[in-house]
Amino acid sequence: MSGFLHQISVDTLRGVGPQLATKLKKLGLYNLQDLLFHLPLRYIDRTQITPIGGIQPMTEVVIEGEVRASDVVFGRRRSLMCRVQDHSGVISLRFFHFNRAQQERLKPGTRLRCFGEVRRGKSGLELYHPEYQYLDTPNPAELEETLTPIYPATEGISQTRMRDLCGQALAQLSQSTIAELLPAELSWGENSPLSFSLVEALRLLHNPPPGTALHLLAEGQHPAQQRLAAEELVAHNLSLLKLRQKVQQQLAPTLLEDKTAKHKFLSQLAFELTAAQQRVGAEISADISTAIPMLRLVQGDVGSGKTVVAALAAVQAIANGKQAALMAPTEILADQHRINFEQWLRPLGIRVAFLTGKVKGKAREMQLQAIADGSAQMIVGTHALFQDSVEFSDLGLSIIDEQHRFGVHQRLALRNKGFASEDTVLNGLAPHQLQAPHQLIMTATPIPRTLAMSAYADLDCSVIDELPPGRTPVETLVLSNLRRNDIIERLKVACAKGRQAYWVCTLIEESDVLEAQAAEVTASELQLMLPELSIGLIHGRLKPREKLEMMEAFKSGEVNLLVATTVIEVGVDVPNASLMIIDNAERLGLSQLHQLRGRVGRGSQSSHCLLLYSMPISANGSARLKIMHETNDGFKIAEKDLELRGPGEVLGTRQTGDMQLHIADLQRDAHLLPQIKSTAETLLLNHPNNVDLLIMRWLGHSEQYAQA
Ligand code: ADP
Ligand code: MG
C-alpha cells in the first residue's frame, strides 16, 4: 500500500472490527495518521531485567525468576501468592483475580518474566497483578528493545491493544507516509526543533530507542516533542491568520478622514492628544480609509487614554455616513463611555444610543429603533449590542473595549455576528457586496509581546506608550494589616483636605454574595470610625441603576470614600480620587492590582495606593506586592505576571482554554513563539496548500476553526 496515512481508515488494521472501530472514532481516531498523533503520555523502561535483590519499592521493573511456591491465601480478600526467586533474591506476585488454569500453570519450577509496580505488602516487596510471560516455552518473547509507551487511558481499549494499533500504523509508515507540512526550507537554524522531521519525531515518540533521555520526554523538552509543539503552534497561528484573511476578503466601507469633523472634535476636548494617541489615531485612520476591514488591537496602559482615540475613529466613521458601535464589558463602564461620548459628540450633532441589559421596555424599543433606522450614529453598550434583536442600519466600525474580559471565541463570535446581522439586512446581495465593519479592539492591560503574538495573531497591533501629561505616578506602599488604624487615621486627614478615596475589599473566591457581604461589613466599620465622612458602597449585587447612581455620587464629590469590591476594576474614571486602599492585596493577581491602582493617579494631584496584606503571605504574594511597589509600568508588570503565573492565567483561562493545545505549552515553549509567527506567515505566502492541512491536522473540526 502507498499513499498517505490519513487516507487509510483504522478499519483496515489487524484486529479492528466494527466495535473497536466505533470506540476509536469516538476518540477522534479515524485513520492511521490520527493514531500516530495520539501520543503516549509517558514511558516505562522494559528493556532491562532488574535483579530481584536490587528492586526498590514504587518503581516499575522487569524481573526474571523461577516460581518457588504458589498458594491461595485467605485474608481480607482471597489471593494467589507466587514466590519467585532469582540468583539475588525472592519476591511475591499477588493476584486477586485468578482462575484455576492460571493457578495450575504457575506451579513451582515454572520460569517467568514479570513486569509490574513494586509495592510493600504483607510479605515484603510484592508485585500486584504483574504482567507475565512464560520463559520455558519453545520461543520465549524477547525483552523489549525500546521504551514502552503508555497511552492516554481510554475506555475499553487496553494499553496492549493501543500499542499494537500504533505499532501497525508505524509499520505502514515505511510504505505510506504522513505529509511533511513544514518544508525543509523553513529551517530555523542548527539544533532547532525543525531539524527533526515529522516522521522521525513520531517514530521516536511512539517507540523511543533505549537510551532516549526519559527526563527530557517527561518535561516535554525532547527535540521530537518540540518539533511537534512547534508544528502545533504554527497550526494555531495559521488558524488565526486564516480568520483574518477571511475577514479581509470582505469589503469594508472606505471611511476617509474628514478634516472638518476631526478638527471640530479635537478642538472641543479639554486636552490635547499625546503624541502616542496621535500616532495610533493616524494608524487607525489609515486602516479604515481603505476597503479592507481593519482588525486592530490597541494596547495601552491603564489611563493612557484609549477611549478618546476610539472616539476619534468613530467620528471619522460617522462623518462618512456610517454608524459606530462601542461595546464595554460592564454596565458601569458602558455608562461611563456613554457620558463621555455624549459630551464629546453632541457638539458635532451626533446622536448617541445606549443599549445594555438594563435598558428595558419602551426605552429599549426606542433605542433599537434609533439603531435600526440610523438616527443614532454612535451606539454605546454592553454585549447586549450583539444580541439577535439588534439590527444596525449601517455599521461601519465596531469597537470592543477592555478585550481581556472577553475570550478569543467571544471576539470571533462578535465578528461573525457583525456579518450575520448584515447577511439578514442585505439579503440577496452577492457575498462580495456585503460590507464588513472595521474592527477596533482595546485591551485593558498590556499583554506580554510573545503572548500577544500567539493569542492575537489575527490582529494588527498599536501601542499607546505614553501617559497624558501632568500625571504624577501613583506612589504605592505595602503595609501590614496590623497598621489598619494608622491607615484609617491617614484616610481621615486626606478626606478632610478634599481628597476622595477608594477602599477595595477582596476575597479569594469569586462569590458576588460573599464579596458584597465583606464590603458591607467594611463600610459599616469604617463609618463607625469615620462618622464625619460620607461613605458609599458599591458591589456586584447592586442593581445596575444603584451602581450608576453611586458612581455619580462619587464623581460629584458627594461621597468622600467609596467602599467597593473589584467591580470597579475596569474603566472607572474619577480624576479627583487620589487614594486607594486595597484590603488583602496579596490575594489578587498582578494585572488585577494594576487595573485597580489605575483608578487613581488620573488627576494632577499626587496619588497613593496602599496595599494591605495579612499574614501568612506566600512567596508569590509578596513578590507581587513588591513589583507593585517598584513600578507603575503596565508592560513590565505584564511580563512579571507571565513569569509568576503562566500564560493560561495571564490571558484568562477562556483564551488559552480555547486554544486547546495537545502538545505545546505556551509557557514552556514561549521561546518558539517569535519563529512560529514568521513561519506561519511564510507558509501562508509560499505554501498555501499546506495551510489547511496543518489546521485540520491540529485543530481538526474544533469549534474555533469551525467558526471561520
Ligand atoms: P484608558 O486607556 O485606561 O481607557 P481613558 O481613555 O479612560 O484611559 O482615559 C483616562 C483619562 O485620561 C480620562 O479622564 C481621559 O479623559 C483623560 N485623557 C485622555 N487623553 C488625555 C490627554 N491627551 N490629556 C489629558 N487627559 C487625557
Ligand atoms: Mg478604558
Side-chain angles (χ1 to χ4, degrees):
M1 213 183 302
S2 67
F4 288 111
L5 291 185
H6 71 264
Q7 295 163 332
I8 308 177
S9 162
V10 289
D11 300 334
T12 60
L13 294 178
R14 225 181 321 108
V16 180
Q19 248 188 340
L20 182 55
T22 310
K23 280 183 197 159
L24 290 168
K25 284 172 189 168
K26 269 208 192 109
L27 295 168
L29 306 174
Y30 292 86
N31 56 54
L32 302 198
Q33 172 173 314
D34 295 336
L35 266 180
L36 289 185
F37 278 91
H38 187 68
L39 291 168
L41 283 179
R42 61 187 189 94
Y43 303 87
I44 50 183
D45 187 348
R46 293 190 187 187
T47 61
Q48 291 172 53
I49 294 162
T50 306
I52 292 174
I55 64 183
Q56 301 287 329
M58 308 306 287
T59 55
E60 287 170 322
V61 292
V62 184
I63 56 160
E64 282 187 4
E66 192 177 313
V67 178
R68 285 287 160 194
S70 184
D71 303 292
V72 176
V73 294
F74 297 89
R76 245 181 328 144
R77 281 176 77 190
R78 199 171 76 106
S79 61
L80 174 66
M81 284 268 287
C82 296
R83 303 283 288 167
V84 174
Q85 184 178 31
D86 71 0
H87 63 276
S88 67
V90 186
I91 189 168
S92 302
L93 317 183
R94 191 188 286 273
F95 300 91
F96 291 105
H97 308 281
F98 59 95
N99 54 35
R100 178 158 279 279
Q102 210 176 358
Q103 187 184 345
E104 275 164 14
R105 186 71 175 83
L106 288 169
K107 63 181 187 295
T110 309
R111 289 188 35 76
L112 294 178
R113 178 184 301 145
C114 309
F115 174 81
E117 190 183 320
V118 185
R119 309 200 193 175
R120 273 186 223 282
K122 277 214 194 78
S123 66
L125 295 182
E126 298 183 357
L127 297 179
Y128 279 28
H129 277 282
E131 293 175 34
Y132 61 91
Q133 297 159 346
Y134 299 107
L135 294 177
D136 39 17
T137 55
N139 297 306
E142 300 280 324
L143 209 54
E144 301 280 341
E145 281 180 4
T146 61
L147 297 171
T148 308
I150 304 290
Y151 290 93
T154 50
E155 192 82 25
I157 305 178
S158 69
Q159 286 294 331
T160 326
R161 176 52 64 85
M162 208 64 212
R163 264 172 234 147
D164 173 55
L165 297 179
C166 290
Q168 289 188 55
L170 277 184
Q172 294 211 23
L173 201 46
S174 35
Q175 307 104 43
S176 308
T177 177
I178 288 186
E180 176 61 76
L181 299 175
L182 300 182
E185 77 203 52
L186 292 174
S187 161
W188 295 357
E190 241 171 272
N191 293 329
S192 88
L194 296 198
S195 51
F196 245 80
S197 78
L198 176 68
V199 167
E200 281 171 328
L202 289 173
R203 271 194 213 286
L204 185 136
L205 292 177
H206 284 282
N207 222 354
T212 304
L214 275 179
H215 68 282
L216 288 183
L217 284 177
E219 288 158 12
Q221 305 277 18
H222 193 282
Q225 290 163 313
Q226 290 280 298
R227 165 62 176 75
L228 294 178
E231 184 173 315
E232 181 173 33
L233 290 169
V234 167
H236 273 274
N237 218 283
L238 284 169
S239 78
L240 288 171
L241 292 180
K242 283 284 281 193
L243 283 174
R244 175 187 171 86
Q245 261 194 348
K246 177 150 176 152
V247 171
Q248 297 204 322
Q249 273 159 12
Q250 315 245 356
L251 278 184
T254 49
L255 307 172
L256 299 176
E257 184 175 276
D258 181 319
K259 290 234 157 57
T260 320
K262 180 178 173 183
H263 179 75
K264 217 165 162 186
F265 171 73
L266 291 179
S267 59
Q268 48 92 34
L269 288 179
F271 48 79
E272 303 257 305
L273 294 190
T274 62
Q277 283 171 320
Q278 290 180 30
R279 188 189 70 239
V280 173
E283 283 166 1
I284 297 168
S285 170
D287 277 359
I288 64 178
S289 61
T290 76
I292 302 169
M294 168 173 74
L295 291 170
R296 186 170 286 279
L297 175 73
V298 173
Q299 289 201 66
D301 209 344
V302 183
S304 61
K306 295 181 284 286
T307 320
V308 71
V309 173
L312 183 60
V315 166
Q316 184 163 330
I318 294 164
N320 283 268
K322 297 286 172 180
Q323 289 175 305
L326 168 62
M327 185 182 84
T330 65
E331 300 258 351
I332 296 182
L333 190 48
D335 198 58
Q336 199 163 284
H337 283 325
R338 176 187 60 80
I339 294 166
N340 278 329
F341 276 71
E342 278 177 352
Q343 186 196 328
W344 289 336
L345 302 186
R346 212 173 259 149
L348 282 76
I350 294 171
R351 178 166 161 201
V352 179
F354 184 62
L355 195 73
T356 68
K358 80 156 223 276
V359 181
K360 295 216 169 84
K362 191 98 192 98
R364 187 177 192 86
E365 287 306 312
M366 278 175 56
Q367 299 297 327
L368 286 174
Q369 184 60 35
I371 297 168
D373 68 19
S375 53
Q377 301 102 320
M378 180 74 221
I379 300 104
V380 176
T382 54
H383 52 272
L385 276 186
F386 292 86
Q387 276 161 12
D388 286 335
S389 58
V390 183
E391 268 182 24
F392 293 92
S393 152
D394 196 359
L395 185 62
L397 172 67
S398 80
I399 305 164
I400 303 176
D401 192 19
E402 310 291 4
Q403 150 73 15
H404 86 300
R405 287 294 185 101
F406 303 102
V408 171
H409 267 183
Q410 261 173 310
R411 170 157 59 86
L412 299 182
L414 295 177
R415 188 182 292 169
N416 291 354
K417 163 72 189 166
F419 300 129
S421 66
E422 239 144 297
D423 279 344
T424 50
V425 175
L426 303 174
N427 220 349
L429 290 183
H432 70 273
Q433 290 172 291
L434 295 179
Q435 287 207 327
H438 295 283
Q439 298 209 29
L440 186 62
I441 290 161
M442 302 190 286
T443 61
T445 344
I447 307 162
R449 217 173 67 87
T450 46
L451 276 192
M453 278 193 304
S454 47
Y456 300 99
D458 53 334
L459 304 175
D460 294 312
C461 189
S462 297
V463 182
I464 304 183
D465 50 5
E466 177 185 2
L467 292 180
R471 299 265 171 92
T472 39
V474 181
E475 192 187 327
T476 301
L477 299 174
V478 179
L479 299 167
S480 159
N481 193 29
L482 298 174
R483 294 187 46 195
R484 212 175 168 86
N485 288 343
D486 294 353
I487 291 156
I488 291 172
E489 192 54 36
R490 201 166 153 172
L491 187 61
K492 183 172 157 185
V493 175
C495 291
K497 288 188 194 148
R499 286 173 69 176
Q500 286 178 284
Y502 298 97
W503 188 295
V504 183
C505 305
T506 62
L507 279 184
I508 307 174
E509 300 147 81
E510 267 190 41
S511 155
D512 274 0
V513 181
L514 295 180
E515 222 176 42
Q517 278 171 1
E520 272 163 22
V521 170
T522 307
S524 38
E525 253 175 40
L526 288 171
Q527 189 69 77
L528 273 180
M529 298 178 74
L530 301 166
E532 65 281 20
L533 293 190
S534 160
I535 298 181
L537 174 63
I538 190 166
H539 55 66
R541 302 280 291 172
L542 295 182
K543 299 214 172 71
R545 171 151 306 285
E546 295 170 320
K547 281 189 228 168
L548 299 179
E549 281 167 7
M550 182 51 70
M551 283 317 299
E552 267 322 296
F554 189 54
K555 224 170 186 169
S556 70
E558 209 179 291
V559 164
N560 312 110
L561 172 63
L562 185 61
V563 176
T565 61
T566 50
V567 293
I568 60 154
E569 178 190 345
V570 284
V572 169
D573 184 33
V574 180
N576 192 50
S578 62
L579 179 59
M580 171 172 283
I581 295 145
I582 305 179
D583 237 344
N584 298 306
E586 79 279 6
R587 292 174 179 172
L588 297 183
L590 273 174
S591 82
Q592 209 174 6
L593 285 169
H594 183 61
Q595 272 298 318
L596 283 168
R597 181 173 60 183
R599 303 307 115 215
V600 293
R602 296 186 159 237
S604 49
Q605 80 266 50
S606 64
S607 295
H608 295 88
C609 178
L610 310 184
L611 303 176
L612 304 193
Y613 65 88
S614 41
M615 296 305 276
I617 180 171
S618 69
N620 236 322
S622 63
R624 289 195 294 268
L625 299 186
K626 183 159 173 279
I627 294 156
M628 290 300 291
H629 168 68
E630 285 167 0
T631 182
N632 277 291
D633 180 336
F635 283 92
K636 273 192 198 140
I637 290 173
E639 291 291 346
K640 202 68 195 179
D641 201 19
L642 179 60
E643 218 173 276
L644 290 174
R645 287 198 305 161
E649 299 287 319
V650 170
L651 283 176
T653 31
R654 276 226 213 86
Q655 304 208 3
T656 42
D658 274 358
M659 291 182 72
Q660 286 184 356
L661 297 170
H662 299 292
I663 294 178
D665 173 323
L666 275 183
Q667 185 161 36
R668 184 193 67 207
D669 304 329
H671 61 282
L672 299 175
L673 293 174
Q675 277 175 306
I676 297 297
K677 183 177 153 71
S678 59
T679 301
E681 283 162 358
T682 311
L683 282 168
L684 208 53
L685 206 63
N686 300 339
H687 302 273
N689 295 335
N690 291 8
V691 170
D692 287 337
L693 294 172
L694 273 167
I695 294 172
M696 282 306 292
R697 177 182 288 174
W698 289 99
L699 284 82
H701 298 280
S702 86
E703 204 186 343
Q704 186 170 354
Y705 189 55
Q707 283 195 359

